[in-house]
Amino acid sequence: MSVYTFSQWVLFFYIYCFLGWVFESVYVSIMERRLVNRGFLKGPLLPIYGSGALCVLIVTIPFRGSIPLMCLAGMAAATLLEYVTGAAMEKLFHVRYWDYTGKLLNVNGHICLMSTLCWGVMTILVVEVLQVFLEKLVFSVDEQLVTVAVFAITPFVTADLVTSFRAAIHLRDILIQWERLSEELEKLEKQKQELEAAIAGRRREMEAALAERREELEVAFADRKREMDASWGERKQEMEMALAERRGEIEASLAGRREELEASLAQRNQEMTDKVAALQERVGRMTVESDLLKKLHGKSIQALLKRNPRAVSIANKEAFTALKQSFAKKINVKKDADDGDDSEEG
């Protein structure tokens, strides 16, 4: 391999990014049965392929002349690069833009046996075929022209990278908001259930205690009445008056106890209601923030998801699925509206 200038290295990087984009877009379009502009960036570039190509070009330098060793070196280096890149992107964005979960001998879904073997084939293809052709092509162009081309392309690539990075960050923020919203809603529902159970349990205890007390009184009154029936008239009248007075005192005591229990329940109910209201207010604020993020960055996020139809989120699985479904519904509604307008015009 010849010695390249910095501009030539960058140009090779862009070329391999483009070739990787062509390969991925064709493959994913066939799998999805629709045209897909594949990749993290909006433009026709896939940096992971450009980085992988340059990586295998560099690590295979000591093994030129031995295809098996070049293949092994390229497989190891490119697989490590893919794993580190995938893990870093998932850590930063909470999304896997490629996922090998379920594939044979995959490691955390970032790499698998098939992808490693593909990197090995790519290593031989790049070193023995593509780079030989591209090297002649680039060397046939004046070095100053190469530098000008690189300086002309780089600002667009940088701008694309920045906007795509921001879209991925906004997507992450929405996923986090949705996840927190789901947690708060779950917590709210749990507290409501606990509140209802506590009030129902307290009411049952109160009713049971009052019923038990009333039953004891009825038994006591019945015993007392039998004693009175056995007594003579004047004594019986005095006992009936005393019994009636005692009954009134007990009824008043029971009524007071009931009022105390009702007041305690009402206070407990109000405390829990206030907590639920505070949670509902917090959930409302989070919903507004999430909706605002979607309105401000919805188009860029939707475009990012369209370019990566098989992206997944392990950390925010439910929120990611709900977000994709909401965008899909929005697209279908818009399509139906457009179809309706066309039929009216017809």
Side-chain angles (χ1 to χ4, degrees), residues 253-271:
S253 174
L254 284 174
R257 180 59 178 162
R258 180 184 290 273
E259 290 178 0
E260 290 177 4
L261 289 172
E262 290 286 354
S264 175
L265 280 176
Q267 182 180 0
R268 177 64 176 165
N269 188 22
Q270 186 60 46
E271 291 175 357

Side-chain angles (χ1 to χ4, degrees), residues 17 21 23 31 37 55 67 84 144 147 151 186 208 216 236 241 246 271 276 286 289 310-312 342:
C17 285
W21 172 84
F23 169 75
M31 298 300 293
N37 173 22
C55 180
I67 289 181
V84 172
Q144 290 184 347
T147 302
F151 272 94
E186 186 178 347
E216 292 174 356
K236 183 178 179 180
M241 291 176 61
R246 179 58 179 163
E271 291 175 357
V276 169
M286 292 174 65
E289 292 174 4
R310 299 194 173 187
V312 297
D342 291 342

Side-chain angles (χ1 to χ4, degrees), residues 99-106 109 112:
D99 183 34
Y100 299 124
T101 301
K103 302 292 184 181
L104 181 63
L105 297 178
N106 79 89
C112 69

Side-chain angles (χ1 to χ4, degrees), residues 314-332:
I314 305 301
N316 310 104
K317 184 177 181 179
E318 293 182 2
F320 187 76
T321 301
L323 184 63
K324 290 184 71 173
Q325 290 175 348
S326 70
F327 280 130
K329 288 180 181 178
K330 189 179 296 183
I331 292 172
N332 291 333

Side-chain angles (χ1 to χ4, degrees), residues 40-107:
F40 184 77
L41 304 179
K42 294 179 182 178
L45 297 173
L46 267 175
I48 186 66
Y49 280 88
S51 302
L54 266 58
C55 180
V56 299
L57 285 174
I58 293 172
V59 299
T60 55
I61 291 175
F63 309 107
R64 296 297 167 86
S66 174
I67 289 181
L69 290 179
M70 283 196 302
C71 183
L72 290 174
M75 287 168 57
T79 298
L80 178 61
L81 173 67
E82 186 176 28
Y83 183 88
V84 172
T85 303
M89 290 181 71
E90 183 179 18
K91 182 70 174 178
L92 181 60
F93 301 129
H94 290 205
V95 173
R96 288 183 183 178
Y97 287 94
W98 63 86
D99 183 34
Y100 299 124
T101 301
K103 302 292 184 181
L104 181 63
L105 297 178
N106 79 89
V107 180

Side-chain angles (χ1 to χ4, degrees), residues 16 118-132:
Y16 284 115
C118 287
W119 281 119
V121 173
M122 177 181 167
T123 298
I124 305 304
L125 180 64
V126 167
V127 175
E128 297 295 324
V129 181
L130 288 177
Q131 189 59 24
V132 175

Side-chain angles (χ1 to χ4, degrees), residues 187-197 272 276 280:
K187 186 187 298 183
L188 178 62
E189 184 63 29
K190 185 178 180 180
Q191 288 199 358
K192 279 184 176 180
Q193 292 175 357
E194 290 176 352
L195 170 62
E196 292 171 356
M272 294 299 294
V276 169
Q280 287 175 330

Side-chain angles (χ1 to χ4, degrees), residues 178-208:
W178 278 35
E179 198 71 27
R180 289 176 180 172
L181 183 62
S182 298
E183 290 175 0
E184 293 295 341
L185 287 172
E186 186 178 347
K187 186 187 298 183
L188 178 62
E189 184 63 29
K190 185 178 180 180
Q191 288 199 358
K192 279 184 176 180
Q193 292 175 357
E194 290 176 352
L195 170 62
E196 292 171 356
I199 291 176
R202 186 62 173 161
R203 191 175 297 279
R204 283 194 299 271
E205 291 175 4
M206 181 185 73
E207 295 294 342

